[in-house]
Amino acid sequence: MKNLVLIFFCSLASFAFSVEYTVQSIPNPITSNANDYVSNPDEILNVETEQQINSMLDSLKIKTGAEVAVVMVNSIGQSELNSFATELFTAWGIG
């Protein structure tokens, strides 16, 4: 069965003191826990929502083999979203 690889980003307006993330600086959630799929270093999502998403994505992976990573950060600077996402899932070894 083929794995479906999706990465979602929420790039919000930068705040005066927000971090501009690079591919190397975004935490990979799977390295700390194989059942985590959400990288949320700026705490855009609350803990309960993050847990719900992780649970849904773990069930999806078990049932279908699909892998989904959700990345929520305030800023990726001037980087182009599609190329940044491609570089990120390549660096993480997804797919």
Side-chain angles (χ1 to χ4, degrees):
M1 178 180 292
K2 288 186 177 180
N3 287 339
L4 175 64
V5 179
L6 300 173
I7 296 184
F8 295 95
F9 284 90
C10 181
S11 183
L12 304 175
S14 295
F15 299 102
F17 299 105
S18 71
V19 174
E20 286 187 4
Y21 289 90
T22 64
V23 168
Q24 296 76 25
S25 67
I26 293 180
N28 182 342
I30 297 171
T31 59
S32 62
N33 183 340
N35 298 325
D36 284 350
Y37 306 92
V38 179
S39 183
N40 182 35
D42 292 328
E43 299 179 352
I44 296 166
L45 300 172
N46 64 41
V47 173
E48 295 81 17
T49 301
E50 188 173 333
Q51 289 172 340
Q52 288 175 338
I53 293 169
N54 279 322
S55 178
M56 290 186 315
L57 296 180
D58 194 45
S59 292
L60 179 68
K61 183 177 180 182
I62 291 167
K63 291 177 185 175
T64 68
E67 297 176 326
V68 179
V70 177
V71 178
M72 302 292 290
V73 295
N74 284 321
S75 177
I76 58 171
Q78 298 299 312
S79 298
E80 195 273 320
L81 185 58
N82 289 336
S83 61
F84 191 93
T86 301
E87 288 178 41
L88 183 63
F89 71 69
T90 299
W92 285 3
I94 298 173

